[in-house]
Amino acid sequence: MKTKDENDKYEKELVESVLKDFEERQAERKTFESNWQLNINFFLGNQYSFISPVGDLMENGKQYFWQEKEVYNHIANIIELRQAKLSRVRPTLTVIPFSDDERDIACAKTSKKILKAVSQNINMSKILSKGTMWSEICGTVFYKVDWDNNLGKIIGVNSLGNEIKEGDVEVTVCSPFEIYPDSSTYNNVEDCMSIIYARSFHKDMVKNIWGVDVQGNDIDVYSLDALSISGGLGYSTLSNSMAKKVKKDQVVVIEKYEKPTIEFPNGRLIVIAGDKLIYNGDLPYVNKSEGKRGFPFIRQTCIPTPNCFWGASLIERLIPIQRAFNAVKNRKHEFLNRLTMGILSVEDGSMDIENLEEEGLSPGKVLIYRQGANGPKLLSSDSMPIDFKQEEDALLNEFVNISGVSDLLNQTSLVNANISGVALQLMIEQDDIKLSSSSEEIKYSAKEIAKQILRLYKQYAKLPHASRIIGDNGLVELFYWSSSDINSEEVMFETENEINETLAQKRSMIFEILNSGLLNDENGKLTNSMRAKILEQLGFGIWESTQDIKTLQSKNASKENLQLIMEQTIKEPSEIDDHDVHVLEHISFMLGNEFEKSILKNPEIEDKMLEHIRKHKKFKNFNQENKES
């Protein structure tokens, strides 16, 4: 047992070692950080910034008052177009049952409903869009999957009068500026031995969250600013830029996650606010396969780079082209200024030079010059060289070739050309396939987020939870679940590559399948549940509110099967039951492995189920006899 002095000494040494480690990681990551700043500035329009030899970001202003330094931002247009196309990548996820038992299949369906409900609650589409924007600009982004005890419904009040909530998962988008791996040579998060997650908080917020009084300091943070470094002859333009700004009374909170080792089999989490130790213990979340603990981070990259933790951004490849394009356009406008405004040749002492400089050669102006001297003359200028136009077109083509993204509808050559619909569709697919690497990263991130969400619910959601989703019948479905209903975390994709599928293509495919009759039932008719599903997929919302009676009968029979397994009882058949559907569901359940395992524990279950089936058949025969009579 350590004494108080020994504990204080240990905590002080631990804090000092973490802070020293954090400074070393900051120094190692400085070059990457400068590149991210440069990418953000070019995206925002501050395209006259550069990285100095010491690694700092600098701005380059005008050298002459007449110099044209306007910005023609093609990078922002390309990134926004990529973002719009990648926003279609929202995979539909499903959960594979642990086995073919009825119980496991029901749990897998419940897990799928949980994923659907939590995706709606936390707005997963918006989270992925925000993360994709960071990955497109900086090359890398991270998602942090947490459990927050302050979320969810109120379930009670403690002795101090504070509310006790059921808790819920929280998915946070973490910019690359907040993540510090122990080495930048790893290829993924799982390879790291430790990861530091650092953020700045106001000292009052630290007090409210962790209950610790910490002295605040002035901290440099990245924020949006406006700089007047661009413009043309006689005017200037404010360009947005990402620059460092000072925030007062701030505290850096460091969370250091260490991988499980022999010394710490459950890993270790160290939380430090300023110079005070807040937490030192095991990794809190069982968020990896086989019940293991690990990092709560999922990495997403724009362009994966070999033997490097950080991904590359397309902006890094476009910056030289953007600089050359700005230079060509500005030199072209300077040439046009000389053509339109002219350059005067004036003999020394022949006239008032100051008046000529201030007013120029306005229409109707009277020029007075010394008798016997030569009057001012405009120097002749050549016409606009064709080289400007050729270089401008070449750079525009290079934007498309390097980025792999083009807006085909805005290309005049395609609009005026006689191209068939099939050829145009092939060109669109070829254009979109260049985004497949980034789209796969988004799909992988969504899948890993879903896995960690299910594992956190399995760990923490011990009390029954109530969730709502849009059911198969088109109505809001309320279902209750707990951690015992999650026995599988094997998440798979229901859909393939969504990036090549526009809304018009999706609708056309649905109509083709509908006309072929593949969606009709055995009687050749379209069921109410299928009609509601089709309307939903077409993007028209839920129009059909009529419930499919056979689907409800099948669900009711499945509930009876689970009731027999869980409670050892089953309710009596009712006159409103569809006895054919119930008998088929019960027989299918009896042929499964789950029923065989239940018989070994309680042989009476088989007799109860057989008796229940006989009662259904008696009801059916009785109804037929009444109908015949």
Side-chain angles (χ1 to χ4, degrees):
M1 182 64 111
K2 292 183 180 179
T3 63
K4 185 178 183 303
D5 292 338
E6 291 176 339
N7 284 330
D8 292 341
K9 182 180 178 182
Y10 172 76
E11 291 181 1
K12 183 179 179 181
E13 292 176 351
L14 182 62
V15 169
E16 290 177 352
S17 64
V18 172
L19 292 178
K20 182 180 178 182
D21 186 21
F22 178 57
E23 292 178 359
E24 293 174 353
R25 299 187 189 201
Q26 282 182 307
E28 181 191 3
R29 211 196 61 178
K30 185 177 180 181
T31 55
F32 295 101
E33 198 170 297
S34 299
N35 281 329
W36 301 336
Q37 283 184 264
L38 187 66
N39 293 346
I40 294 174
N41 276 284
F42 266 78
F43 175 76
L44 295 176
N46 179 22
Q47 297 182 352
Y48 292 100
S49 55
F50 63 95
I51 301 175
S52 67
V54 296
D56 296 328
L57 203 67
M58 307 290 290
E59 279 80 23
N60 186 11
K62 284 187 178 184
Q63 294 178 329
Y64 307 99
F65 75 93
W66 50 264
Q67 189 174 9
E68 292 282 341
K69 288 185 71 68
E70 196 57 87
V71 173
Y72 305 89
N73 196 348
H74 282 261
I75 287 180
N77 182 52
I78 291 172
I79 298 301
E80 289 167 359
L81 187 58
R82 282 176 58 91
Q83 179 81 358
K85 292 185 176 183
L86 291 174
S87 65
R88 301 204 300 261
V89 183
R90 297 296 179 266
T92 303
L93 301 173
T94 187
V95 180
I96 299 177
F98 187 76
S99 66
D100 60 350
D101 293 339
E102 188 77 16
R103 170 71 178 174
D104 290 341
I105 294 174
C107 288
K109 291 180 180 178
T110 302
S111 299
K112 181 182 177 181
K113 291 180 180 179
I114 293 172
L115 289 180
K116 186 175 181 180
V118 73
S119 297
Q120 295 172 354
N121 293 336
I122 67 177
N123 199 348
M124 182 61 73
S125 179
K126 184 177 181 180
I127 290 174
L128 291 175
S129 296
K130 183 179 178 181
T132 303
M133 177 60 74
W134 275 108
S135 66
E136 286 294 303
I137 296 176
C138 296
T140 314
V141 73
F142 299 86
Y143 302 96
K144 187 170 183 278
V145 184
D146 272 323
W147 182 268
D148 192 343
N149 290 321
N150 296 320
L151 298 177
K153 298 178 180 178
I154 300 173
I155 59 176
V157 180
N158 60 14
S159 58
L160 300 177
N162 298 324
E163 297 176 346
I164 301 175
K165 297 186 177 181
E166 62 184 4
D168 207 343
V169 294
E170 183 181 26
V171 181
T172 307
V173 177
C174 305
S175 73
F177 293 96
E178 300 172 334
I179 302 296
Y180 299 83
D182 55 326
S183 176
S184 297
T185 59
Y186 294 122
N187 285 324
N188 50 60
V189 172
E190 286 71 23
D191 293 340
C192 298
M193 293 303 298
S194 64
I195 290 179
I196 287 181
Y197 177 46
R199 295 169 294 170
S200 66
F201 292 89
H202 193 274
K203 63 179 183 179
D204 295 339
M205 187 173 291
V206 174
K207 173 68 174 179
N208 294 333
I209 297 176
W210 290 283
V212 178
D213 289 316
V214 184
Q215 181 68 32
N217 297 311
D218 294 342
I219 297 178
D220 290 335
V221 296
Y222 295 106
S223 180
L224 193 65
D225 198 0
L227 297 175
S228 179
I229 60 171
S230 58
L233 179 60
Y235 68 94
S236 60
T237 304
L238 291 176
S239 298
N240 292 327
S241 72
M242 184 64 68
K244 288 185 178 180
K245 284 190 174 182
V246 177
K247 292 183 70 175
K248 298 184 179 296
D249 295 330
Q250 295 293 306
V251 177
V252 176
V253 177
I254 298 174
E255 300 176 9
K256 184 177 181 180
Y257 296 83
E258 295 182 355
K259 197 173 185 179
T261 58
I262 297 177
E263 184 179 0
F264 301 102
N266 289 328
R268 187 165 64 155
L269 171 61
I270 305 171
V271 182
I272 296 173
D275 57 352
K276 293 186 178 181
L277 180 65
I278 295 177
Y279 176 83
N280 178 26
D282 295 340
L283 290 176
Y285 305 133
V286 183
N287 53 7
K288 300 299 177 183
S289 59
E290 301 177 356
K292 297 180 180 178
R293 299 173 186 262
F295 304 131
F297 301 104
I298 295 101
R299 186 189 68 150
Q300 176 182 315
T301 60
C302 174
I303 303 172
T305 52
N307 199 33
C308 185
F309 187 75
W310 310 105
S313 172
L314 194 65
I315 297 179
E316 299 171 14
R317 305 176 183 178
L318 295 175
I319 284 177
I321 307 172
Q322 182 66 65
R323 282 174 171 157
F325 186 80
N326 288 338
V328 169
K329 294 285 287 186
N330 285 314
R331 299 299 83 75
K332 180 179 178 181
H333 288 165
E334 288 172 2
F335 194 92
L336 290 173
N337 287 340
R338 292 187 177 95
L339 285 178
T340 55
M341 299 175 67
I343 301 176
L344 283 173
S345 174
V346 183
E347 184 178 347
D348 185 23
S350 63
M351 60 182 305
D352 187 357
I353 300 297
E354 293 183 359
N355 177 267
L356 191 63
E357 288 178 345
E358 292 176 359
E359 300 182 5
L361 291 177
S362 59
K365 182 178 180 64
V366 178
L367 292 177
I368 301 175
Y369 58 94
R370 180 173 50 83
Q371 185 176 6
N374 295 322
K377 294 187 297 182
L378 288 171
L379 296 179
S380 61
S381 300
D382 297 332
S383 60
M384 175 69 68
I386 196 174
D387 296 338
F388 283 108
K389 176 63 175 174
Q390 291 176 348
E391 181 65 12
E392 186 177 336
D393 293 339
L395 289 173
L396 289 175
N397 290 330
E398 200 164 353
F399 271 119
V400 176
N401 294 333
I402 297 297
S403 67
V405 177
S406 62
D407 195 351
L408 296 178
L409 297 179
N410 289 334
Q411 293 189 17
T412 308
S413 59
L414 292 179
V415 174
N416 297 330
N418 187 14
I419 300 178
S420 66
V422 176
L424 187 60
Q425 180 63 34
L426 290 175
M427 294 177 65
I428 294 174
E429 292 180 0
Q430 188 177 14
D431 191 55
D432 289 342
I433 202 172
K434 297 173 183 178
L435 299 172
S436 59
S437 176
S438 299
S439 65
E440 287 297 319
E441 286 285 321
I442 298 175
K443 292 175 66 176
Y444 168 79
S445 299
K447 182 178 178 180
E448 290 301 312
I449 291 173
K451 286 183 178 181
Q452 292 205 20
I453 286 175
L454 288 179
R455 288 163 184 161
L456 289 186
Y457 277 136
K458 189 174 182 179
Q459 181 182 359
Y460 290 104
K462 302 301 182 182
L463 298 176
H465 282 57
S467 299
R468 292 180 300 173
I469 60 171
I470 301 298
D472 295 333
N473 53 20
L475 296 177
V476 176
E477 178 182 347
L478 180 66
F479 66 101
Y480 293 90
W481 57 274
S482 63
S483 59
S484 60
D485 294 316
I486 304 174
N487 64 352
S488 175
E489 307 139 8
E490 196 63 33
V491 179
M492 300 293 290
F493 298 117
E494 277 190 358
T495 54
E496 292 300 326
N497 193 1
E498 305 90 348
I499 196 168
N500 294 329
E501 187 179 275
T502 63
L503 181 59
Q505 292 170 329
K506 187 176 181 180
R507 288 177 176 175
S508 177
M509 180 182 64
I510 291 175
F511 284 125
E512 290 178 3
I513 297 175
L514 184 62
N515 293 332
S516 66
L518 293 176
L519 302 179
N520 297 337
D521 61 5
E522 63 274 7
N523 298 322
K525 296 182 179 180
L526 197 66
T527 62
N528 292 327
S529 61
M530 183 57 67
R531 187 181 297 112
K533 191 68 175 177
I534 292 173
L535 289 172
E536 182 183 358
Q537 293 298 316
L538 288 174
F540 297 121
I542 304 300
W543 285 6
E544 185 62 65
S545 60
T546 304
Q547 302 186 50
D548 183 24
I549 189 66
K550 286 191 175 181
T551 302
L552 294 177
Q553 292 283 357
S554 177
K555 288 182 177 179
N556 191 28
S558 299
K559 291 179 181 178
E560 292 177 356
N561 295 336
L562 291 177
Q563 182 186 12
L564 182 62
I565 295 298
M566 303 298 295
E567 302 176 7
Q568 311 299 315
T569 60
I570 188 169
K571 70 176 185 178
E572 294 294 322
S574 173
E575 293 180 358
I576 65 173
D577 291 341
D578 187 330
H579 303 290
D580 290 332
V581 175
H582 275 251
V583 168
L584 290 176
E585 286 291 333
H586 295 325
I587 293 176
S588 175
F589 175 63
M590 293 183 69
L591 296 176
N593 294 332
E594 182 71 16
F595 188 75
E596 293 181 2
K597 295 178 182 178
S598 301
I599 291 176
L600 296 177
K601 298 178 181 179
N602 186 3
E604 296 179 359
I605 289 179
E606 184 176 11
D607 295 334
K608 291 182 180 180
M609 179 59 80
L610 291 174
E611 180 63 25
H612 184 77
I613 293 175
R614 293 190 193 103
K615 290 179 180 179
H616 275 296
K617 291 181 178 179
K618 287 181 181 180
F619 259 110
K620 178 184 176 183
N621 295 333
F622 178 77
N623 293 336
Q624 288 179 349
E625 291 174 358
N626 289 338
K627 190 178 293 185
E628 292 174 356
S629 61

